[in-house]
Amino acid sequence: MTRQPAQPSLEELAAKLAEFARERDWDQFHAPKNLAMALAGEVGELLEHFQWLSEQQSADLPPATRDAVALELADVLLYLVRLADKLQIDLGAAALRKIELNGLKYPVDRFHGSSRKYDEPS
Amino acid sequence: MTRQPAQPSLEELAAKLAEFARERDWDQFHAPKNLAMALAGEVGELLEHFQWLSEQQSADLPPATRDAVALELADVLLYLVRLADKLQIDLGAAALRKIELNGLKYPVDRFHGSSRKYDEPS
Amino acid sequence: MTRQPAQPSLEELAAKLAEFARERDWDQFHAPKNLAMALAGEVGELLEHFQWLSEQQSADLPPATRDAVALELADVLLYLVRLADKLQIDLGAAALRKIELNGLKYPVDRFHGSSRKYDEPS
Amino acid sequence: MTRQPAQPSLEELAAKLAEFARERDWDQFHAPKNLAMALAGEVGELLEHFQWLSEQQSADLPPATRDAVALELADVLLYLVRLADKLQIDLGAAALRKIELNGLKYPVDRFHGSSRKYDEPS
């Protein structure tokens, strides 16, 4: 896949979304509670693309579906970035911290090839 | 808020998650359909933090809640990045494209101060 | 509100939905996993009606919105009933059992006027 | 499966939940917006049971999982019934109306064996 020369960072996206909202006077609607709902609504739309597909089909989407899914993923990301920004949460730092925590909860030797939860018996 | 010196890019996160899954032989579980469900499950956990709060309270979380919410947002981001990666979707490019589309659907002069959808009558 | 003379029972709805699926040869799609996703997708549509409303506005919907919400609630119920049926879960009995469990988790004297979770300190 | 002698009707469940809330002074929290979020949160928990299962596995749950899923379905039903009640929506009537509408959108001869949406080309 050809990549665009410059990927936007999470902070650049947050800045763009803040400006988008400011221009439209939308901060009044963007309480974190509301943004969390909007995020969940977009995830619902994402699920609708996959619900009747087999796992294999979901990995091999027709181009039009894949393009529609890309825009749904974008919607989820945009609300997520906006929500983190309104809460002054550093999303990138939180993600790194969570990967580290997951590494502790799911040590390689005990969870190799297993989908059970960290607190489920093996 | 003190920022860490280097923010992870979306691509760096995707690479870390791919390695995390490879080490644990988890690719077998990571069909896009399954990742979309896992993403939705994390969003459900996020909603539970906000459901009984007023909008004002949601903007002014106690530190412990805010920290828990940060990790929920991280979970959402990690599944989102992983899902995009499995579908070979360039998430950053899709986000930029979506912001541009939203600008066309929601021109400033017609949607200033309004929360209606682009296809709803004003 | 004028009630229709006869309300459908959960079992009558389950029977109607089973027939609907049988006529269309849709059982092949109705794995519980898929039905759970479809249910979540409908809940996402439901959220979209409420996300920018205040709590007060959500209690006082314009008639057209209220009618649209009624059909979203119906969608959620139909997938829920269908999912329970495919899993041979007695949904009505489970609901009664859950109300009883909730009564034990949330005794009146300790949770009067409080929205905290049963395992949160008061 | 042995059925209990009397299944609760949707209206009986609504009455029980209204009493449950009244005893705890919880009506103050039960704005439709909040109930919709709580419903979505429960659906998130439901998804977590299915996300790494194959379709076949989801139809053949181990007894402990099936029992846990039954209580999740109950949670979803209870919030759904409560939400409909707060909006004075007749959930049973809406469900019957939706089944009828679905019959018009999905005529047997055109959608036999197909999972496409009613507005998708065949």
Side-chain angles (χ1 to χ4, degrees):
Chain A
M1 189 169 52
T2 311
R3 298 281 179 173
Q4 294 196 347
Q7 287 291 306
S9 69
L10 291 169
E11 292 185 332
E12 285 162 357
L13 289 176
K16 277 179 186 291
L17 294 173
E19 189 196 350
F20 198 97
R22 201 181 311 113
E23 288 172 347
R24 287 160 185 78
D25 193 22
W26 281 359
D27 270 283
Q28 59 183 312
F29 305 118
H30 285 187
K33 174 176 180 160
N34 297 0
L35 292 167
M37 289 184 87
L39 172 65
E42 297 299 340
V43 171
E45 293 182 24
L46 178 69
L47 292 179
E48 293 179 17
H49 289 284
F50 291 115
Q51 63 201 17
W52 309 127
L53 302 185
S54 70
E55 294 179 34
Q56 185 54 51
Q57 288 170 325
S58 81
D60 194 26
L61 300 175
T65 306
R66 190 169 159 284
D67 202 53
V69 165
L71 291 179
E72 305 285 12
L73 295 181
D75 277 328
V76 175
L77 180 62
L78 296 180
Y79 277 122
L80 182 66
V81 164
R82 180 76 176 139
L83 173 53
D85 190 40
K86 294 297 282 188
L87 289 168
Q88 294 184 276
I89 285 170
D90 184 331
L91 189 56
L96 291 179
R97 186 152 60 98
K98 195 67 207 314
I99 291 176
E100 206 176 310
L101 289 171
N102 285 345
L104 297 172
K105 287 205 295 194
Y106 295 97
V108 169
D109 57 335
R110 290 188 44 230
F111 289 90
H112 195 272
S114 163
S115 68
R116 73 182 191 282
K117 277 197 83 166
Y118 68 93
D119 53 2
E120 280 176 341
S122 61
Chain B
M1 189 169 50
T2 313
R3 297 280 179 172
Q4 295 195 346
Q7 288 290 306
S9 69
L10 292 169
E11 292 184 332
E12 285 162 358
L13 290 175
K16 277 179 187 289
L17 294 173
E19 189 196 352
F20 198 98
R22 201 180 311 114
E23 287 172 348
R24 286 161 186 77
D25 193 21
W26 281 0
D27 270 282
Q28 60 183 309
F29 306 118
H30 286 187
K33 173 175 181 160
N34 297 359
L35 292 167
M37 290 184 86
L39 172 64
E42 297 299 340
V43 171
E45 294 184 22
L46 178 68
L47 292 180
E48 293 181 17
H49 288 285
F50 291 115
Q51 63 201 18
W52 309 128
L53 302 185
S54 69
E55 293 178 36
Q56 184 54 52
Q57 287 171 325
S58 81
D60 193 26
L61 298 175
T65 306
R66 190 168 159 285
D67 202 54
V69 165
L71 291 179
E72 305 287 11
L73 295 181
D75 277 327
V76 176
L77 180 62
L78 296 180
Y79 278 121
L80 182 65
V81 164
R82 179 74 176 140
L83 173 54
D85 190 40
K86 294 298 281 189
L87 289 168
Q88 293 183 277
I89 285 170
D90 185 331
L91 189 55
L96 291 179
R97 186 152 61 98
K98 196 66 207 314
I99 291 176
E100 207 176 308
L101 290 171
N102 285 345
L104 297 173
K105 287 203 296 192
Y106 295 97
V108 169
D109 57 334
R110 290 190 42 230
F111 289 90
H112 195 271
S114 163
S115 67
R116 73 182 191 282
K117 277 195 82 167
Y118 68 93
D119 53 2
E120 280 176 340
S122 59
Chain C
M1 188 170 51
T2 312
R3 298 279 180 173
Q4 295 194 347
Q7 287 291 306
S9 69
L10 291 168
E11 292 184 333
E12 284 162 358
L13 290 175
K16 277 179 186 290
L17 294 172
E19 189 196 351
F20 198 97
R22 201 180 311 112
E23 287 171 348
R24 286 160 186 79
D25 193 22
W26 281 359
D27 270 283
Q28 60 183 311
F29 305 117
H30 285 186
K33 174 177 180 158
N34 297 359
L35 291 167
M37 289 184 87
L39 172 64
E42 297 299 340
V43 171
E45 293 183 24
L46 177 68
L47 291 180
E48 292 180 17
H49 288 284
F50 291 115
Q51 62 201 17
W52 308 126
L53 302 186
S54 69
E55 293 178 36
Q56 184 54 52
Q57 287 170 325
S58 80
D60 194 26
L61 299 175
T65 306
R66 190 169 159 285
D67 202 53
V69 165
L71 290 179
E72 305 286 11
L73 295 181
D75 277 328
V76 175
L77 181 62
L78 296 180
Y79 278 122
L80 182 66
V81 164
R82 179 77 176 138
L83 173 53
D85 191 40
K86 293 297 282 187
L87 289 168
Q88 293 184 276
I89 285 171
D90 184 331
L91 190 55
L96 291 179
R97 186 152 61 98
K98 197 66 207 315
I99 291 176
E100 205 176 309
L101 289 171
N102 284 344
L104 297 172
K105 286 205 296 194
Y106 295 97
V108 169
D109 57 334
R110 290 188 44 229
F111 288 89
H112 195 271
S114 163
S115 67
R116 73 183 190 280
K117 277 196 81 166
Y118 68 93
D119 53 2
E120 280 176 342
S122 60
Chain D
M1 188 170 52
T2 313
R3 296 279 178 173
Q4 295 195 347
Q7 286 291 307
S9 69
L10 292 168
E11 291 184 333
E12 284 161 359
L13 290 176
K16 276 179 186 289
L17 294 173
E19 189 196 351
F20 198 97
R22 201 180 311 113
E23 287 172 347
R24 286 160 186 78
D25 194 21
W26 281 0
D27 270 283
Q28 60 184 309
F29 305 118
H30 286 187
K33 173 175 181 161
N34 297 359
L35 291 167
M37 289 183 87
L39 172 64
E42 297 299 340
V43 171
E45 293 183 24
L46 178 69
L47 291 180
E48 293 181 16
H49 288 284
F50 291 115
Q51 64 201 18
W52 309 127
L53 302 185
S54 69
E55 292 178 36
Q56 184 53 53
Q57 288 171 325
S58 81
D60 193 26
L61 299 175
T65 306
R66 191 168 158 285
D67 202 55
V69 166
L71 291 178
E72 305 286 11
L73 296 181
D75 277 328
V76 175
L77 180 62
L78 295 180
Y79 277 122
L80 182 66
V81 164
R82 179 76 176 138
L83 173 53
D85 190 40
K86 294 296 283 189
L87 289 168
Q88 293 183 278
I89 285 170
D90 185 331
L91 190 55
L96 291 179
R97 186 151 61 99
K98 196 67 207 313
I99 291 176
E100 206 176 309
L101 289 171
N102 285 344
L104 297 172
K105 286 205 297 192
Y106 295 97
V108 169
D109 57 334
R110 289 189 43 230
F111 289 90
H112 195 271
S114 163
S115 67
R116 72 183 192 281
K117 278 195 83 166
Y118 67 94
D119 52 2
E120 280 176 341
S122 60

